[in-house]
Amino acid sequence: MTGVVEAVQGGVVDVRFARGEEPELREVLRVVGHDDPVLEVQSHPDPGLARALALSSTAGLFRGQAVERTGVQLQVPVGEAVLGRVLDCLGRPLDGGAPVASGERRGVHRAPPPLHLHRGQVEPLWTGIKIVDLLCPFARGGKTGLFGGAGVGKTVLLMEFVGAVVDQWDGVPVFAGIGERLREGHELWHEFGDSGLMKRTAMVFGTMDAAPGARLRVIHSALTMAEWFRDEQRRDVLLLVDNIFRFVQAGMETSALLGRLPSRVGYQPNLTSELAQVEERIASTVDGTISSIQAVYVPADDLSDPGAAGVLEHLDARVVLSRAQAAAGLYPAVDALRSQSRLLAPEVVGERHHRVAEGVRQVLARYRELEDVIAMLGLDELSPQDRAVVARARRLERFLTQPFVTSEPFTGRAGVRVPVEETLLCCERILDGAADALEEQRLYMIGGVEDLDRALR
């Protein structure tokens, strides 16, 4: 059964079929005689009319062009054959290689695993990044978000995490690049290749210049590949998403063209359900785990923005990056007071870790309260007790900075990773006043116990 193109509006195409022969929702349509564009049916505004989302460029498409039904939903290759490859949301190669030689393909629209198969407990995933392990530990088998505006270090932190974890972890990394700059994707591909990780990694990209429909379906395709390794091989999967906000943005770009009325701040009215369909599939089961790290762009640094807030409610841990910290040169620019993790509980990380983390937060919170007083009256007007708190807070801030392996070519500093036990011991010593007489700058960009001992001599 064939139809004809009736209208093209950006990434949305209306196709007219005979009445009663309309394609099913989410069915894939193909233009007769062409590989592009691939269309996915989204709605039926009128009898016989299918409104479809273009999953590739609509260049060259014109009214009256013949379109045929395929009878199937969008499918992508899965299995070992996708490892070492860079693909688009349709499963086509972007790395210049041959088409993926996989005998199995799966539909990208899948239901989340049944509740009785979910693994109820998550455990910390230690990264060697001091401030993250101390205050907002990542969840193995859970979801973590890296929140921040433009230029505060989300991608760098994500890449440092990958380097810290994947080497010591026998799992399958799957990377979903949504709305990435072409340069960033190219650099990432080569970094993974140089480190030897690419041969066991699958990458799915919808770059910034791709059609909105392609960017919208990247995460679905990557998730489908990740689910295969979890369910069929019972392996642990690390799903890396950069940037999940671009998924939201792609939905917003096409929502009005699909005939939906805008909701809050112009976002699509189905924002919550669209995100839930993705986030609920990122689940750990009795067979295997999917641990997800998602970079989240925050418009105007406003965490209450519906796009960022919609992601926030699905996460086990959130790492909020601060522009003020970045401006002060305190990298990683993690906001210690706004970053949270449900794993930071005594029954998960232990009494000692919980006590030290709370002590650090209290000192930093008090320093934040005193900043306005210091700016107006000066440090000398504070009580001796408050001056001691300020001194320790500033030393903790500098100790919790860290040179990254990822940024070595740009900073010239050798990257370090610190075991969580060393981080706890050093923070205990600073909280107890062992570094009160030490010049605070000597704690900047150092490692663990050995570096602290050297600074204290």
Side-chain angles (χ1 to χ4, degrees):
M1 290 176 285
T2 60
V4 295
V5 175
E6 187 168 277
V8 181
Q9 302 178 67
V12 175
V13 181
D14 286 350
V15 183
R16 177 67 66 179
F17 289 86
R19 185 186 290 263
E21 295 184 359
E22 302 93 336
E24 300 290 333
L25 290 178
R26 291 180 173 171
E27 184 177 333
V28 170
L29 310 178
R30 292 192 179 273
V31 179
V32 174
H34 298 274
D35 289 335
D36 281 333
V38 176
L39 310 176
E40 184 184 70
V41 177
Q42 299 293 309
S43 64
H44 300 109
D46 295 314
L49 184 65
R51 182 157 290 168
L53 187 63
L55 303 183
S56 48
S57 173
T58 56
L61 195 64
F62 55 86
R63 292 180 64 188
Q65 203 164 6
V67 176
E68 62 181 3
R69 293 181 57 180
T70 64
V72 297
Q73 294 187 3
L74 177 64
Q75 297 181 339
V76 292
V78 295
E80 296 280 351
V82 303
L83 298 181
R85 303 303 305 270
V86 183
L87 309 171
D88 66 7
C89 71
L90 302 171
R92 301 182 298 195
L94 296 175
D95 52 12
V100 176
S102 174
E104 184 177 357
R105 299 177 72 89
R106 283 189 174 182
V108 303
H109 299 289
R110 302 172 61 82
L115 192 60
H116 70 276
L117 294 180
H118 281 235
R119 182 177 298 184
Q121 186 176 4
V122 292
E123 58 186 28
L125 186 59
W126 305 121
T127 65
I129 302 170
K130 292 184 288 188
I131 192 166
V132 169
D133 288 349
L134 175 67
L135 299 177
C136 43
F138 288 2
R140 180 188 293 273
K143 298 187 279 283
T144 299
L146 309 179
F147 290 81
V152 295
K154 297 184 298 298
T155 300
V156 173
L157 184 57
L158 183 68
M159 291 303 100
E160 184 70 11
F161 168 76
V162 172
V165 170
V166 174
D167 288 341
Q168 57 181 334
W169 181 70
D170 182 25
V172 179
V174 177
F175 187 92
I178 310 173
E180 285 278 282
R181 298 174 182 86
L182 192 61
R183 169 188 59 79
E184 290 179 343
H186 195 263
E187 289 173 356
L188 182 68
W189 178 31
H190 282 287
E191 283 177 15
F192 271 62
D194 293 343
S195 65
L197 294 176
M198 192 62 219
K199 60 186 177 184
R200 58 189 179 104
T201 301
M203 289 187 172
V204 186
F205 276 97
T207 52
M208 192 175 283
D209 62 336
R215 285 180 271 129
L216 191 67
R217 290 292 173 251
V218 164
I219 185 64
H220 297 86
S221 299
L223 252 174
T224 302
M225 297 175 191
E227 288 169 336
W228 187 91
F229 289 105
R230 179 195 66 191
D231 299 337
E232 301 300 325
Q233 293 193 340
R234 301 192 171 192
R235 298 177 69 178
D236 293 334
V237 182
L238 182 63
L239 178 66
L240 306 160
V241 185
D242 190 9
N243 187 300
I244 191 68
F245 179 80
R246 304 299 179 195
F247 163 76
V248 173
Q249 200 171 43
M252 181 170 62
E253 287 179 42
T254 57
S255 180
L257 294 176
L258 288 169
R260 302 174 186 142
L261 291 174
S263 183
R264 291 182 300 162
V265 202
Y267 283 100
Q268 57 270 45
N270 61 335
L271 170 63
T272 303
S273 60
E274 203 166 63
L275 272 170
Q277 287 170 1
V278 169
E279 295 288 356
E280 292 304 310
R281 287 174 60 185
I282 305 174
S284 297
T285 69
V286 293
D287 294 326
T289 66
I290 297 181
S291 305
S292 175
I293 312 297
Q294 307 171 26
V296 188
Y297 171 71
V298 182
D301 295 335
D302 180 12
L303 277 177
S304 65
D305 181 89
V311 178
L312 191 64
E313 60 194 27
H314 292 279
L315 302 176
D316 298 294
R318 70 180 188 195
V319 179
V320 180
L321 301 179
S322 162
R323 195 168 299 280
Q325 294 285 100
L330 300 174
Y331 290 102
V334 176
D335 189 326
L337 302 183
R338 299 172 76 193
S339 301
Q340 298 176 3
S341 171
R342 73 181 181 94
L343 280 72
L344 194 62
E347 56 270 19
V348 179
V349 297
E351 290 287 350
R352 180 192 177 208
H353 189 148
H354 182 262
R355 184 184 68 252
V356 174
E358 287 302 304
V360 170
R361 282 193 199 275
Q362 288 172 11
V363 168
L364 294 177
R366 181 58 180 161
Y367 175 43
R368 190 76 57 86
E369 292 172 359
L370 294 170
E371 282 182 326
D372 288 341
V373 176
I374 295 170
M376 291 186 292
L377 303 177
L379 188 62
D380 293 338
E381 297 300 316
L382 299 180
S383 67
Q385 183 180 1
D386 282 342
R387 283 201 297 272
V389 168
V390 169
R392 290 173 190 175
R394 291 182 61 85
R395 283 157 179 77
L396 282 168
E397 281 186 334
R398 278 143 189 81
F399 171 73
L400 292 174
T401 60
Q402 187 168 342
F404 281 172
V405 175
T406 307
S407 58
E408 280 181 11
F410 311 105
T411 64
R413 290 178 182 266
V416 296
R417 290 174 184 141
V418 182
V420 65
E421 286 298 320
E422 291 195 24
T423 300
L424 294 175
L425 179 58
C426 292
C427 288
E428 282 177 329
R429 293 170 67 181
I430 295 171
L431 287 171
D432 290 340
D436 284 359
L438 183 67
E439 183 184 349
E440 62 186 41
Q441 202 60 23
R442 295 189 63 185
L443 296 174
Y444 181 70
M445 290 290 175
I446 67 171
V449 171
E450 187 177 331
D451 288 346
L452 180 60
D453 287 342
R454 191 180 299 116
L456 290 172
R457 290 188 193 120

